[in-house]
Amino acid sequence: MAGKGFFIDTTLCTACRGCQVACKNWNRNGTIPTKNTGSHQNPPDLDGNTFKLVRFSEVETDGKLAWYFFADQCRHCLVPPCKDTIEGYVDDAVIQDEATGAVVFLEKSKEAPHEEVTSSCPYDIPRHRENGPMVKCTMCIDRVSNGLKPACVKVCPTGAMNFGELDEMIALANERLAKLKPKYPKAQLLDADQVRVIYLVVDDPKKYHKNAVASLNPGIDRKTALRRMARPAKGLIRTFVGV
Amino acid sequence: MTNHWIDFANSDCILIMGSNPAENHPISFRWIMKAKDKGGVVIHVDPRYTRTSTKADIYAPLRSGTDIPFLGAMIKYIIENNKYFNDYVVNYTNASFIVGEKYDFKDGLFSGFNAEKRAYDASTWAFEMDEKGVPKKDPTLQHPRCVFQLLKKHYSRYDLDTVSTITGTPKEDMLKVFEAYSTTGARDKAGTILYAMGWTQHTVGVQNIRAMTIIQLLLGNMGIPGGGVNAMRGESNVQGSTDQGLLYHILPGYLPTPSASLAKLEDYNKKFTPVTKEPLSANWWQNRPKYVVSFLKAMFGDAAKPENEFGYGWLPKLEDGKSYSWLDLFDAMYRKELKGFFSWGMNPACSGANSNKTRAAMANLEWLVVVNLFDNETASFWKGPGMQPKQIKTEVFFLPCCAFLEKEGSISNSGRWTQWRYKAQEPLGQSLPDGDIIYELFNEIRALYKKDKAGKFPDPILNLKWDYAEGKHFNPHLVAKAINGYWTKDVTIKDKTYKKGELVSAFALLQDDGSTSSGNWLYCQSYNQDGNNMARRDKTDETGLGLYPKWSWAWPVNRRIIYNRASLDLTGKPWNPKRPVLEFVGDVADGKYTSIKWKGDVPDGPWYPLKNPDGTAREDGKLPFIMKVDGIASIFGPGLKDGPFPEHYEPIECPVEKNPLSPQLTNPVVPEYTTEKDVIKTCDPRFPFVGTTYRVTEHWQTGVLTRWLPWLIEAEPQVFVEMSEELAKLRGFANGEKVIVESPRGSLEAVAIVTKRFRPFKVLGQEVHQVGLPWHFGWVWPPEGGESANLLTPSTGDPNTRIPESKAFMVNVRKKG
């Protein structure tokens, strides 16, 4: 598979949140006023100014405690449903970069129905920026196209975040998986054949984050579902003919 | 650190205790994970399951303030299971030394205790000397008064059952740690300890580290790659500030600050220059007079002459027996004994233990100068909570300084690497580099002394060498060169002539006759005729062990692992040939070494090994621990105020009425402060829970910088108190609820984080709860951030260092309102 990819090894992540902050730094993203709600995870969720979020999850299995960290971000799907959804409503609002495979929302994406774009994502990633477009991780396409690594990868101290040619990332992921499997029988790569951002986890992925693996319409409510059924034919045709 | 950050990757077993590097030293985890990847075992012992624990192979909980029982039990385990490295212990430590008959340990007290003075007479801990004045030894380690047997006896009381009831650590967890760590006693294995403020901020702080040092010596882990005793410092340049004499008891280069009774340079040198009769000891501190005179030459330049003892009389002197630590200074300020105070790059209103005392103390000042980036709780103390601004007479000046990216200079990291940093951008507004502020300030002070002839004791002010500016601006290169040192006259040594004004190449050339200057002998070589060695950026690494000897510069003389000759056997060959940091490779003829040649790191002394390849002893070899008077490392250490062996004493505020190991509940020589703000409550039902303080990745110190950075305050917005689900249930707290945390000294509101990562401890049959909170916050900013956890902590500390006991104290948590 051509293009670029990430390999995120959660076994090396210490939740220092360097990636979360570096992402905001590079993208000049602002903040929201937060409160401590009894967790270290903050902001509480991805938002119009947060493209990358380290999720914290305390789980106890058979009396043994684990604290999992999941550096959540857009997976840059090989076939991105968000793109399909947006294009069902607006032209020139999203690109899938040929060289890298990065899925990038453009200004015009603000014209697409925001909730529907979000709910069409199997990982619940896209967010709407107040008075602005739909936003999410851009794969730091401005950095990458100038020979730099994405900001989150550059800053990661432990090697949890990796970036390169997708084939190389898949090879690296498989190598790490083989190494960890004897000690962690539940070790697995998440949706590795469908995305450009491959996570390695060593336990049930749901224990890391409810949307760690693709689920059908993760955030969809009844209203959105109904609206999707009635969406313009243009998008449906595109989907069916694979344009 | 004896070793350095990258060296963690060389370890077979990393014990993380008294620290939380994943959160507080995030980059260290790069090297820790590399060690783990190679099969190394990572152990975390901590009261709380932290981001560090998530990456550990073994996690063991321990109640705050009980590290010595845990480590004492490990010492007992190592000895009784024969896990120690015998050749190392016999040859490189004082295990074989015979202790004098006056030494004793009974009922929790060492011999020589004076209850009235609350101090020990350490002469009762002296070694027995032979007729030549060398300590008597028993290399079989069998003599009942040899250090090894005394050690064995001392820790025989620290059995698993007793220790487990003190620490609250399950016995099986303790055993797992002991088994894993003691495997590093093998000659081809290395174990390292990474500690931080979790060990130092106790009334037994120094002894916590001594206990681990004993373990490292028993296992032969000192001086080797992947080993050592490694303090991860609490600020990026704390190592540098300690090296340069920031603390009251030392001048730059670890030269003791003179006291009033040492009126003459001769008295000083006599007191602080150690003498040994051990022929194999290098006793490096015998060079102390050279370093002192070179320091005085750097201070006073041409005014420092032999006839005025090089200006020794101009150095400030301490009152004998008096300490001037942080706790003492604020105590004096509280008692109205200080008029003025410079708070430079710090925020004592939040960072000092017992902050209510600190804040009240500052109201007694006539003036206060705050040099910082942002407004903070110290600069604005007079309008803080509970203050009556109209009644406070303190005049406060705020000088804006620029941030680290806006100035050039060196920074010394925990691994002793001194790295030169360039200026990334010009300072904003009227802010200045600290160097400029100090430079101008002193020029003004000197001008005042010149003008007003009535100024008291003007000589040190008028004679100080103060030529560190280029034009109007302070120049850090000039200071760095002065720290390295110059030849002050033309001198010829062994056919080589050094010209006046040349930089001295390294400290072995420093002189005691005034012909050299050096602001800090340990840094002599950092900036010499080869240029600014701290600015080097060459990535070659011939050993493959991550020494990178041409990257920056490390003290002393660019040695990357100190005591590295202890990594070799007596013939100069590595104990572990697979991981050699150093090796003696001199020529051999007839089984004897005939030339000196070393390979690898800079050897800790250039001498021949102690033995020839044929096993015969050499008289020109030197023992490896060159900074120790006897040339070997101290398992039995007579240098501390609270005993030659670490002994368990409870924190000054503790949840138990008894110490099962002895009738002595707390450290008998702990410093006492007696103002009405120095309240201590032990076993008081109003304060039933153990409290501790810590930091998070997202903030730095009191947050003076980080609380103003939106991305960081978004990630950790408010002070919190972490507690177990059991405690939350007991008090009826919901997760995320704002609660009150209070100690006998103060209280604050904090958000309850109810978590499985804290568990109650089973201590002496009782359930003991512990809570913890960060000390990054303060009332100035942000509005909803909350207050400093140091409102709770006690103002007492370690008797040796006087570092406050902010890691173990008693609190209550209760519902608001």
Side-chain angles (χ1 to χ4, degrees):
Chain A
M1 180 63 65
K4 304 286 186 185
F6 293 78
F7 167 52
I8 303 181
D9 185 345
T10 64
T11 67
L12 295 178
C13 176
T14 57
C16 73
R17 296 198 267 199
C19 55
Q20 180 177 317
V21 172
C23 175
K24 288 190 173 244
N25 184 344
W26 181 256
N27 289 298
R28 302 188 176 199
N29 280 349
T31 57
I32 54 165
T34 55
K35 292 209 161 166
N36 190 314
T37 56
S39 162
H40 291 283
Q41 183 177 313
N42 241 332
D45 197 4
L46 295 168
D47 59 47
N49 281 305
T50 307
F51 305 165
K52 173 110 190 169
L53 177 71
V54 179
R55 298 184 185 274
F56 291 65
S57 170
E58 265 177 52
V59 288
E60 197 172 19
T61 315
D62 305 327
K64 195 168 158 43
L65 181 64
W67 198 15
Y68 292 132
F69 311 127
F70 193 81
D72 200 10
Q73 65 170 87
C74 169
R75 311 298 198 276
H76 296 278
C77 298
L78 300 177
V79 183
C82 60
K83 179 168 180 274
D84 171 48
T85 306
I86 293 170
E87 288 177 345
Y89 295 95
V90 210
D91 287 326
D92 305 323
V94 56
I95 55 165
Q96 191 169 16
D97 179 55
E98 216 164 281
T100 59
V103 179
V104 184
F105 295 163
L106 305 177
E107 196 60 28
K108 278 182 76 181
S109 63
K110 67 179 166 200
E111 294 167 25
H114 311 143
E115 283 171 33
E116 192 175 332
V117 177
T118 304
S119 63
S120 70
C121 170
Y123 304 99
D124 186 33
I125 298 293
R127 294 290 185 274
H128 176 240
R129 179 176 285 168
E130 210 179 330
N131 305 317
M134 295 301 294
V135 291
K136 64 168 191 65
C137 163
T138 65
M139 201 190 268
C140 277
I141 191 160
D142 44 354
R143 291 175 61 90
V144 172
S145 55
N146 283 291
L148 298 172
K149 294 199 167 183
C152 57
V153 177
K154 171 82 179 167
V155 81
C156 177
T158 59
M161 296 290 307
N162 300 276
F163 183 79
E165 296 303 317
L166 180 59
D167 295 342
E168 288 169 19
M169 289 300 109
I170 291 171
L172 182 62
N174 281 314
E175 192 186 311
R176 280 294 291 172
L177 178 65
K179 184 156 185 176
L180 291 164
K181 197 86 186 172
K183 196 170 171 189
Y184 304 98
K186 287 185 187 165
Q188 57 189 288
L189 304 176
L190 305 184
D191 300 339
D193 54 349
Q194 295 163 43
V195 293
R196 289 181 183 276
V197 180
I198 301 164
Y199 288 85
L200 168 65
V201 298
V202 291
D203 200 349
D204 175 2
K206 297 272 183 202
K207 289 186 180 169
Y208 290 74
H209 172 44
K210 64 180 168 35
N211 296 320
V213 284
S215 57
L216 208 54
N217 304 337
I220 200 164
D221 58 17
R222 191 177 148 75
K223 207 170 91 190
T224 318
L226 288 169
R227 215 171 44 227
R228 283 196 73 182
M229 284 173 71
R231 74 183 176 184
K234 186 177 145 199
L236 292 174
I237 292 163
R238 276 199 186 191
T239 310
F240 289 135
V241 300
V243 179
Chain B
M1 288 187 194
T2 58
N3 295 41
H4 59 96
W5 294 103
I6 298 176
D7 188 58
F8 300 173
N10 294 319
S11 194
D12 298 297
C13 190
I14 298 177
L15 174 60
I16 302 171
M17 192 165 168
S19 68
N20 178 12
E23 302 192 38
N24 301 147
H25 302 87
I27 313 298
S28 70
F29 251 75
R30 178 182 191 82
W31 313 110
I32 294 168
M33 295 313 283
K34 279 185 196 293
K36 199 177 168 187
D37 198 45
K38 288 188 273 187
V41 174
V42 177
I43 303 169
H44 191 215
V45 181
D46 201 271
R48 175 182 59 130
Y49 188 95
T50 69
R51 293 184 232 184
T52 296
S53 321
T54 67
K55 297 292 164 280
D57 297 284
I58 305 168
Y59 166 71
L62 155 138
R63 170 171 64 96
S64 271
T66 62
D67 299 80
I68 289 173
F70 190 99
L71 297 172
M74 175 134 67
I75 293 171
K76 178 176 155 75
Y77 177 90
I78 289 167
I79 293 175
E80 290 180 359
N81 293 283
N82 233 345
K83 299 283 187 183
Y84 57 94
F85 185 176
N86 189 67
D87 286 355
Y88 191 104
V89 169
V90 171
N91 291 299
Y92 294 161
T93 78
N94 65 11
S96 65
F97 286 29
I98 314 288
V99 178
E101 284 177 354
K102 286 186 191 161
Y103 170 76
D104 195 15
F105 176 78
K106 211 176 147 194
D107 293 341
L109 293 170
F110 294 92
S111 50
F113 184 65
N114 182 324
E116 204 177 309
K117 290 183 182 166
R118 301 179 65 253
Y120 282 108
D121 169 9
S123 68
T124 63
W125 312 336
F127 295 121
E128 221 164 79
M129 298 291 183
D130 68 12
E131 60 287 356
K132 290 183 203 141
V134 177
K136 285 188 189 169
K137 301 179 189 80
D138 174 17
T140 69
L141 308 182
Q142 296 307 311
H143 190 289
R145 277 187 289 112
C146 82
V147 165
F148 187 80
Q149 291 300 329
L150 293 178
L151 179 79
K152 189 174 172 181
K153 188 177 160 202
H154 191 86
Y155 293 104
S156 61
R157 298 169 295 134
Y158 286 59
D159 61 88
L160 277 182
D161 287 309
T162 309
V163 167
S164 173
T165 64
I166 297 171
T167 62
T169 314
K171 276 194 285 181
E172 58 274 17
D173 288 350
M174 232 184 301
L175 264 180
K176 262 193 233 167
V177 176
F178 297 170
E179 280 166 11
Y181 200 73
S182 62
T183 59
T184 65
R187 62 161 60 200
D188 61 347
K189 293 281 182 216
T192 186
I193 168 67
L194 313 185
Y195 75 90
M197 271 59 76
W199 267 1
T200 56
Q201 291 177 358
H202 291 281
T203 43
V204 291
V206 175
Q207 298 286 12
N208 281 335
I209 294 143
R210 279 274 305 140
M212 192 63 207
T213 308
I214 292 171
I215 291 172
Q216 290 298 69
L217 291 171
L218 288 172
L219 298 174
N221 279 333
M222 294 306 294
I224 67 172
V229 170
N230 296 308
M232 298 179 292
R233 312 299 304 255
E235 287 202 40
S236 46
N237 200 19
V238 157
Q239 185 63 53
S241 62
T242 314
D243 298 342
Q244 304 301 348
L246 187 84
L247 300 171
Y248 78 90
H249 71 298
I250 42 173
L251 301 173
Y254 302 92
L255 307 173
T257 309
S259 56
S261 62
L262 303 171
K264 296 281 176 196
L265 178 58
E266 196 187 336
D267 306 333
Y268 177 90
N269 282 335
K270 197 173 169 195
K271 175 153 187 191
F272 294 120
T273 309
V275 178
T276 181
K277 297 280 165 40
E278 168 57 62
L280 297 176
S281 171
N283 184 25
W284 196 264
W285 277 121
Q286 66 177 294
N287 296 304
R288 175 112 59 196
K290 299 173 186 171
Y291 307 150
V292 174
V293 171
S294 296
F295 168 72
L296 290 167
K297 285 297 289 181
M299 286 286 284
F300 301 116
D302 293 340
K305 299 172 191 156
E307 52 269 32
N308 65 5
E309 301 178 295
F310 302 102
Y312 172 79
W314 299 333
L315 287 182
K317 309 286 188 297
L318 305 175
E319 290 292 340
D320 289 82
K322 190 171 169 185
S323 81
Y324 299 77
S325 71
W326 175 283
L327 288 177
D328 297 287
L329 290 179
F330 280 93
D331 192 58
M333 199 187 291
Y334 187 83
R335 288 185 286 101
K336 304 185 180 175
E337 291 170 12
L338 288 182
K339 277 187 187 173
F341 169 48
F342 274 88
S343 174
W344 207 307
M346 55 164 61
N347 183 16
C350 290
S351 65
N354 196 358
S355 288
N356 277 327
K357 180 179 175 184
T358 308
R359 294 174 185 187
M362 288 192 291
N364 293 337
L365 293 166
E366 283 179 21
W367 54 265
L368 164 65
V369 181
V370 178
V371 188
N372 220 314
L373 299 176
F374 293 102
D375 184 19
N376 56 65
E377 290 72 17
T378 300
S380 289
F381 85 92
W382 51 275
K383 55 179 176 182
M387 291 286 172
Q388 304 291 328
K390 280 188 179 162
Q391 287 166 24
I392 294 172
K393 305 264 188 300
T394 315
E395 188 174 8
V396 183
F397 304 86
F398 188 93
L399 305 181
C401 59
C402 63
F404 69 95
L405 293 165
E406 298 167 333
K407 61 190 177 188
E408 186 183 15
S410 74
I411 187 157
S412 302
N413 74 15
S414 306
R416 297 167 288 104
W417 293 23
T418 304
Q419 309 190 72
W420 197 262
R421 293 207 289 214
Y422 59 89
K423 177 163 75 175
Q425 65 172 51
E426 291 302 321
L428 283 178
Q430 291 181 302
S431 66
L432 288 172
D434 301 279
D436 281 63
I437 298 174
I438 295 171
Y439 201 79
E440 197 179 322
L441 176 68
F442 187 76
N443 281 341
E444 290 296 321
I445 291 171
R446 175 130 77 190
L448 288 172
Y449 272 85
K450 276 184 181 161
K451 205 167 92 185
D452 181 0
K453 304 289 179 208
K456 278 183 197 162
F457 196 35
D459 296 351
I461 306 289
L462 298 178
N463 287 310
L464 189 74
K465 190 168 167 290
W466 198 247
D467 51 0
Y468 305 121
E470 240 175 13
K472 275 184 77 176
H473 284 286
F474 167 83
N475 182 335
H477 290 271
L478 296 176
V479 174
K481 287 180 187 177
I483 287 171
N484 178 87
Y486 294 98
W487 291 94
T488 62
K489 55 176 91 156
D490 293 358
V491 176
T492 303
I493 299 171
K494 288 184 192 163
D495 302 334
K496 189 159 166 49
T497 301
Y498 303 95
K499 290 282 186 195
K500 179 180 176 179
E502 277 178 26
L503 291 157
V504 181
S505 57
F507 61 65
L509 284 167
L510 294 176
Q511 307 293 324
D512 61 5
D513 61 359
S515 59
T516 56
S517 70
S518 175
N520 183 343
W521 71 278
L522 270 179
Y523 279 68
C524 188
Q525 196 188 60
S526 60
Y527 203 133
N528 60 12
Q529 71 283 0
D530 299 329
N532 182 355
N533 292 317
M534 298 174 280
R536 296 181 304 170
R537 292 294 182 269
D538 181 329
K539 291 188 198 168
T540 48
D541 179 27
E542 281 176 18
T543 61
L545 293 171
L547 301 186
Y548 298 105
K550 294 173 186 168
W551 179 279
S552 76
W553 177 86
W555 69 258
V557 287
N558 207 31
R559 185 173 300 129
R560 302 289 159 139
I561 296 182
I562 43 185
Y563 303 126
N564 55 22
R565 284 193 301 121
S567 71
L568 311 175
D569 66 17
L570 300 181
T571 69
K573 295 298 168 193
W575 296 116
N576 178 8
K578 286 186 190 147
R579 205 157 40 202
V581 66
L582 186 68
E583 188 172 359
F584 189 76
V585 290
D587 296 326
V588 182
D590 300 330
K592 310 272 191 284
Y593 287 125
T594 58
S595 71
I596 291 181
K597 201 174 165 200
W598 291 93
K599 194 179 145 194
D601 196 7
V602 178
D604 214 337
W607 307 280
Y608 277 105
L610 293 158
K611 282 185 175 176
N612 286 307
D614 63 8
T616 53
R618 296 187 68 102
E619 287 180 359
D620 50 4
K622 294 286 178 224
L623 288 158
F625 289 88
I626 65 171
M627 304 313 283
K628 303 290 293 182
V629 64
D630 298 314
I632 44 73
S634 302
I635 284 177
F636 185 89
L640 297 179
K641 291 189 175 162
D642 45 359
F645 286 133
E647 172 65 8
H648 171 57
Y649 303 114
E650 284 289 331
I652 205 76
E653 274 186 352
C654 59
V656 293
E657 281 170 328
K658 275 188 179 164
N659 174 0
L661 287 167
S662 83
Q664 186 66 36
L665 184 65
T666 57
N667 191 333
V669 298
V670 84
E672 279 181 337
Y673 299 92
T674 52
T675 75
E676 64 274 19
K677 293 277 189 192
D678 294 288
V679 193
I680 304 286
K681 302 273 183 207
T682 273
C683 292
D684 184 320
R686 288 172 297 172
F687 305 102
F689 310 126
V690 178
T692 194
T693 61
Y694 40 72
R695 308 197 287 187
V696 296
T697 317
E698 295 75 7
H699 288 290
W700 198 49
Q701 310 292 56
T702 66
V704 172
L705 177 65
T706 53
R707 280 189 264 141
W708 298 85
L709 298 179
W711 300 317
L712 296 178
I713 204 71
E714 181 189 49
E716 284 288 359
Q718 289 177 300
V719 64
F720 56 82
V721 53
E722 285 177 307
M723 66 182 72
S724 68
E725 291 172 344
E726 291 83 350
L727 177 54
K729 199 175 163 197
L730 193 72
R731 284 292 197 245
F733 296 154
N735 187 32
E737 176 179 344
K738 265 201 179 173
V739 302
I740 305 288
V741 191
E742 58 195 358
S743 86
R745 295 158 294 277
S747 72
L748 67 146
E749 262 184 48
V751 177
I753 293 186
V754 179
T755 172
K756 293 181 194 302
R757 297 179 294 100
F758 250 131
R759 293 270 157 89
F761 295 99
K762 191 95 177 169
V763 176
L764 297 174
Q766 305 282 317
E767 194 159 79
V768 171
H769 294 280
Q770 182 165 348
V771 303
L773 53 174
W775 54 279
H776 299 300
F777 296 89
W779 60 269
V780 165
W781 186 262
E784 294 287 311
E787 263 281 24
S788 171
N790 274 316
L791 292 169
L792 308 172
T793 53
S795 40
T796 184
D798 180 275
N800 302 286
T801 62
R802 306 226 166 191
I803 293 177
E805 187 156 69
S806 23
K807 289 293 175 263
F809 50 92
M810 298 305 289
V811 297
N812 183 33
V813 283
R814 61 172 170 83
K815 284 255 189 198
K816 264 181 78 178

